[in-house]
Amino acid sequence: MTFEHVFADLAGVPANRFTDPQGLAGLLLAAANAAALNPASPPVVKTGPRGVSAALLCHGGLVALHGLPEAGLCFADVAGLGGALPQRGLDVIVKRLGAREVRTDARRRGPVTQTTPPEAS
């Protein structure tokens, strides 16, 4: 079993994109839907002195972001078990936040296997 994991650093995001908690919750739900993920609970959006954090736990995955409105920066993260389409979810986030610059990475994650050291002779 593997996880598909995509994440991105976004820059040039207008600060007003982070001011509506309901809008951010809707963004997480839309991204999960696009990624073929099923929410396990309602989205959580919290604003604090170090920006905005938002997360949606899904059965077999997640959608999350952390934004710094005053700097126009955001980190976005979408992951799901094999069969999920996290890149589609990330595309929704990038488009709706209106980022001017995007740096992405994608990883296939799976079991960590230990290698057995060679036996000493």
Side-chain angles (χ1 to χ4, degrees), residues 10-45:
L10 312 178
V13 178
N16 66 350
R17 301 291 165 92
F18 297 110
T19 59
D20 176 15
Q22 280 188 310
L24 289 172
L27 170 58
L28 295 177
L29 290 166
N33 186 51
L37 294 170
N38 296 313
S41 64
V44 175
V45 179

